[in-house]
Amino acid sequence: MAKSSSATATATASGTKKRKSKSGALTHEEVKALGLELLSSRAHLNHAPTLLALLSPTAPLSIALEALISLQSFFEPLLPSIPSASAAAAAAGGASDDPELVFGAWLRQRFEEFVAALVELSVSPDSDEAIREVALDAFMDFVKLGKDGSFHSAIYHKFLHAVVHATNSIDDVLELLGSKYSKYADVCFFTYTSLDKIANSLVSQTTGSGKDVLQNGDDGAEDRSAICVRNVYNILVHVPALDFKKESKFDMWSTVGLSSKGEKDTSEGSSATRISKKLKLKFTKAWLAFLKLPLPLDVYKEVLATLHQNVIPSMSNPAILCDFLTTSYDIGGVISVMALSGLFILMTQHQLEYPKFYDKLYALLTPAVFMAKHRSVFLQLLDACLKSSYLQAYLVASFAKRLSRLALSVPPAGALIIIALIHNLLRRHPSINFLVHWEVAQDDGEASLPKKIGADPFNNEETDPAKSGAMRSSLWEIDTLRHHYTPAVSRFVASLETDLTVRAKTMEMKITDFSSGSYATVFRDEARRRIKQVPLAFYRSTPTSLFQESDFPGWTFGCQSNSGAQASVEGNAVHTLETGDASPAKRSRVQISVGRDRV
């Protein structure tokens, strides 16, 4: 039987060679005929390697599609009979003379080649969009046809491994994977499982180069590991966590789903709860393994910007992120600003205790914050962090004084936010209202006032709020904003003139109304504002010159009347104006000469 099969395969191979030799490359009709012969009998098994050779991203689209469909139809019914990799290796090594075992080993090898070709067609940037989608669909069909209808996690892991290690863009394949298959719970489960393994393997492979990229911000110094880190992050973003709270029943891609052997669910509710716990656990492990990697600076910022919305709510134990977030918060600058969102959630919702939190927050108040990209979220969180009535008076006074000092150097939109923040602080904490108006008694005036007239005891360079001296200062900076060059700022300062201690007559300002402000928004609001009274320029007497001599030191302005001819003065710029006197009949031409004084 083995000899006859070998002879048949040899004859088939020679027939294929003759068919190719007539017209060079195979045509679409010839490829279709090979597929039909392959599906009809075992006598044409050697057509499989021929069709596998046609599965290339650079092959003609029609031929590659025909070969892919024929091979998919050939392997699908044989998938349950394909032996495991160990059994196939033993049979291929000559350990058995059974023809069926030899055929099984050959079939296993061809199937692995077919799976590798599908992965290449899905990931390669040279693949056409149509062949990429068909290849991914065929691959996922084999994934759902595992043993006894279970999820074929081994070949799915190969696919994700190839995606992570791809050097070109993987956006197209991730869009297909996310839009078609991320809604299935078992696909998400095994995606997290594979990413956990891949990320842990990358941790052992990476060196200190990734940390240098983070600290120096040198995006051009990327190596292959940095590309893999980006790909892992992109997969996590495109296959997000399912909404565990709203899901009462999870859809499964495979027949068995996530059920283990011997498990019996009493109801759909218990099944959904069990699946939800499994998904949360795998989701948490995948993200923790990813966060251990040396993240490039741009990925680091994206993670911090979305962590509090997309990751923390879906984790089994969000408090486990405290090390990552506290380390990020201690870095300083923009990284600390972006880490504040996640850290604030852990502190308020998951009982995280972080000493020196307000000292770090106080140090973040610099002019650069009011021009940062994520200033809106930061300023809203700043307002929320200072809302507690249990905060010490010196701490609130330090923040109010630090903000008022910043109002002198930030853009107009930042000054508006600062006024709103100080308004809320004065209203929430009556103990710091003395900063607005000092009451100095005549007896102890010398003791209360600073030793030097005009000196401010507040130290803006001090990083410790307790040592800043804000309790002995005042908010004199806010008074200077009355004369701000932007009308919106000078008008808004008036909101602090009311008695904010009377809480019944006042209300807190929403920081969200000001946190996204910029020069453009200030200009737009001012341009739309309806002005009731327009100031006009007028003169009590008719001007005799365009400018006053005091405006331009070193220049003289003279007025000469000329009845008819226009005089020319050497070295002077002569401008003629037509003016009228009391009598309409009489007009004179006034020549205004502007000349530079000769030295």
Side-chain angles (χ1 to χ4, degrees), residues 1 27 40 72 99 127 160-161 170 183 215 272 295 314 356 377 423 474 483 498 511:
M1 178 178 178
T27 63
S40 62
Q72 182 182 4
S127 298
L160 289 181
H161 187 274
I170 57 173
K183 60 183 178 181
Q215 294 173 357
L295 306 181
S314 302
K356 302 293 182 181
V377 177
H423 177 279
S474 64
H483 310 286
T498 57
I511 304 301

Side-chain angles (χ1 to χ4, degrees), residues 169-430:
S169 176
I170 57 173
D171 293 340
D172 294 335
V173 65
L174 291 184
E175 287 293 335
L176 290 173
L177 184 66
S179 61
K180 283 191 169 186
Y181 302 104
S182 63
K183 60 183 178 181
Y184 298 106
D186 50 354
V187 173
C188 294
F189 178 86
F190 288 104
T191 299
Y192 304 144
T193 303
S194 295
L195 290 180
D196 180 21
K197 297 177 182 177
I198 295 172
N200 285 324
S201 66
L202 289 175
V203 169
S204 59
Q205 296 174 8
T206 52
T207 59
S209 60
K211 295 182 180 179
D212 296 337
V213 170
L214 172 60
Q215 294 173 357
N216 301 330
D218 186 7
D219 292 337
E222 291 179 351
D223 54 1
R224 189 176 182 84
S225 62
I227 298 176
C228 294
V229 171
R230 274 194 175 83
N231 291 341
V232 172
Y233 174 69
N234 289 332
I235 297 174
L236 287 172
V237 169
H238 283 82
V239 186
L242 299 174
D243 195 345
F244 304 120
K245 296 181 179 180
K246 295 183 179 180
E247 294 287 346
S248 58
K249 183 179 180 181
F250 292 93
D251 295 329
M252 298 293 171
W253 176 244
S254 59
T255 306
V256 177
L258 298 178
S259 299
S260 304
K261 293 182 179 179
E263 278 187 339
K264 293 183 180 180
D265 297 326
T266 56
S267 63
E268 290 185 359
S270 61
S271 175
T273 303
R274 177 180 54 80
I275 292 173
S276 177
K277 289 182 179 179
K278 283 187 174 183
L279 285 172
K280 277 191 172 185
L281 182 61
K282 291 298 181 182
F283 179 84
T284 303
K285 287 184 176 180
W287 270 98
L288 288 179
F290 166 70
L291 294 177
K292 293 177 183 177
L293 294 169
L295 306 181
L297 185 59
D298 57 338
V299 176
Y300 199 3
K301 289 181 179 180
E302 288 185 29
V303 170
L304 291 175
T306 59
L307 199 68
H308 63 289
Q309 293 178 340
N310 301 336
V311 181
I312 291 180
S314 302
M315 299 192 78
S316 57
N317 183 19
I320 205 169
L321 290 174
C322 64
D323 290 339
F324 173 77
L325 289 173
T326 52
T327 303
S328 302
Y329 191 63
D330 292 338
I331 291 177
V334 180
I335 299 296
S336 297
V337 171
M338 301 177 72
L340 182 61
S341 300
L343 195 61
F344 180 75
I345 291 179
L346 294 187
M347 293 178 61
T348 56
Q349 300 179 14
H350 301 280
Q351 292 76 47
L352 173 67
E353 294 184 3
Y354 181 61
K356 302 293 182 181
F357 170 77
Y358 283 99
D359 293 357
K360 297 287 185 181
L361 184 62
Y362 182 79
L364 290 178
L365 293 178
T366 60
V369 170
F370 292 87
M371 292 175 282
K373 181 180 179 181
H374 302 279
R375 63 184 181 274
S376 175
V377 177
F378 171 75
L379 294 170
Q380 294 175 37
L381 290 173
L382 174 65
D383 183 63
C385 292
L386 299 175
K387 187 173 290 187
S388 174
S389 58
Y390 296 100
L391 295 177
Q392 296 92 333
Y394 80 88
L395 184 64
V396 182
S398 298
F399 274 93
K401 182 62 181 177
R402 181 74 169 243
L403 289 169
S404 64
R405 183 64 59 88
L406 286 172
L408 302 178
S409 56
V410 298
L416 292 173
I417 303 171
I418 288 176
I419 295 173
L421 287 169
I422 293 179
H423 177 279
N424 291 345
L425 291 178
L426 293 174
R427 186 178 182 276
R428 296 168 187 164
H429 307 278

Side-chain angles (χ1 to χ4, degrees), residues 84-94 105:
S84 61
S86 57

Side-chain angles (χ1 to χ4, degrees), residues 494-535:
S495 63
L496 299 178
E497 295 180 357
T498 57
D499 188 2
L500 298 177
T501 57
V502 184
R503 299 175 61 89
K505 296 182 180 180
T506 58
M507 59 184 300
E508 287 193 4
M509 293 186 176
K510 295 182 180 179
I511 304 301
T512 53
D513 297 339
F514 307 94
S515 56
S516 300
S518 61
Y519 278 108
T521 57
V522 172
F523 179 80
R524 185 182 65 246
D525 295 341
E526 192 65 25
R528 292 178 178 177
R529 183 170 171 266
R530 297 185 63 181
I531 302 176
K532 297 181 180 179
Q533 296 180 355
V534 180

